[in-house]
Amino acid sequence: MRNCYKGEYDRVISLGMDCRPKVIMDITGLSGKRTALDVVATQQIDNLIYVLNNRFTDWFLESNLYTQPNSDKQYKRVRDIHTNYISVHDFSPESESISSEYPTFKRRLDKHADTLLKDIRNNDRVLFILNLEMSPHERDTTDDLDTLTRQLPTLRQLLDQMCGNTNSHLFIATYHEPLQSLHLSRTHIAIKQASWKTFMCGEELQTWQKWLDGVWLTQEDHSS
């Protein structure tokens, strides 16, 4: 499906599974209002399907939050043990507890989730961007090829259901080359390189820019 995703869209939306799609959308001018999946992360596609299917109704509830021991002075890593999503950028590393920050965080997150759902529902032509596997050395915590082959069609069908039409396109970046033989309607699968070492710099950034060259918005929206 060579470059079938390139063209004009009402909205470009990040599906995660980390912040790479949001970073490249900001750089290329394709970003609009922040949505729920821009800067939180997960390692399994089942988690993405779950939160979309449930319309974010039960994610990041305070009773399910756990501050990971690998938090440091730069990032407080807070995991939702129910949906297995992690927030890295929303809580202050200096704070001893997340309780004082949680109400503001949850209001903001719910607002971003509402924005995502409205944008999916109200825009006729949407491009979804999905980054699979944060790095090739994390294969012990990311989905294997069989899981992705089985679940990507489920995600594709769910997005059509949420959009209420079959006008959306899905762009997927992955290390799994065999996925390119997976035939999904309105879906383009691009291959990342294990040689990329620095986050969204150099060759990785240039490749993402090339992938999105030829994608533009009907009406650019840079509001927050």
Side-chain angles (χ1 to χ4, degrees):
M1 300 180 184
R2 186 181 60 188
N3 294 340
C4 66
Y5 64 99
K6 294 196 173 184
E8 184 179 52
Y9 292 91
D10 301 317
R11 192 76 161 91
V12 179
I13 295 176
S14 167
L15 297 178
M17 297 162 60
D18 66 358
C19 55
R20 280 178 174 82
K22 175 61 174 174
V23 169
I24 192 60
M25 287 161 56
D26 287 343
I27 291 172
T28 56
L30 295 174
S31 184
K33 300 179 293 294
R34 179 178 166 181
T35 60
L37 297 169
D38 285 337
V39 293
V40 296
T42 187
Q43 295 273 43
Q44 288 86 34
I45 194 170
D46 282 345
N47 302 329
L48 171 62
I49 291 171
Y50 177 85
V51 298
L52 289 175
N53 198 45
N54 285 275
R55 307 303 192 263
F56 304 101
T57 55
D58 60 350
W59 80 327
F60 284 101
L61 300 180
E62 187 172 11
S63 59
N64 294 326
L65 299 188
Y66 164 72
T67 302
Q68 295 193 168
N70 64 336
S71 297
D72 52 37
K73 293 182 179 180
Q74 187 174 8
Y75 299 115
K76 176 168 284 191
R77 295 170 172 85
V78 177
R79 182 175 297 277
D80 173 5
I81 60 174
H82 176 60
T83 64
N84 206 24
Y85 265 85
I86 182 173
S87 165
V88 178
H89 304 286
D90 294 297
F91 293 93
S92 170
E94 289 79 22
S95 177
E96 293 184 4
S97 170
I98 65 174
S99 297
S100 61
E101 297 176 279
Y102 178 78
T104 300
F105 160 75
K106 191 61 166 67
R107 284 195 299 270
R108 185 171 63 243
L109 191 68
D110 288 347
K111 177 183 176 181
H112 296 329
D114 187 58
T115 295
L116 186 149
L117 295 173
K118 286 181 177 178
D119 282 350
I120 290 177
R121 185 170 60 249
N122 296 335
N123 288 291
D124 182 64
R125 186 170 164 84
V126 176
L127 173 64
F128 295 100
I129 302 179
L130 174 63
N131 179 66
L132 299 175
E133 311 113 13
M134 295 180 191
S135 65
H137 69 270
E138 293 177 318
R139 286 292 174 82
D140 57 330
T141 56
T142 59
D143 290 320
D144 58 26
L145 179 60
D146 288 342
T147 299
L148 292 172
T149 301
R150 184 178 66 255
Q151 291 296 72
L152 283 173
T154 301
L155 175 64
R156 174 68 274 183
Q157 293 171 8
L158 176 58
L159 294 174
D160 283 347
Q161 179 190 58
M162 295 179 71
C163 289
N165 60 48
T166 55
N167 295 330
S168 68
H169 283 246
L170 173 60
F171 178 89
I172 299 170
T174 178
Y175 292 108
H176 288 287
E177 292 188 26
L179 284 179
Q180 287 192 309
S181 64
L182 184 64
H183 297 293
L184 297 174
S185 61
R186 291 163 287 110
T187 300
H188 182 88
I189 298 175
I191 302 302
K192 301 188 291 182
Q193 302 301 316
S195 59
W196 297 344
K197 302 298 183 183
T198 306
F199 177 84
M200 292 303 280
C201 293
E203 187 178 357
E204 180 179 16
L205 176 58
Q206 293 169 13
T207 302
W208 275 99
Q209 290 174 313
K210 182 178 180 181
W211 285 339
L212 294 183
D213 182 37
V215 174
W216 70 94
L217 294 174
T218 304
Q219 183 176 5
E220 293 187 8
D221 182 358
H222 297 286
S223 58
S224 58

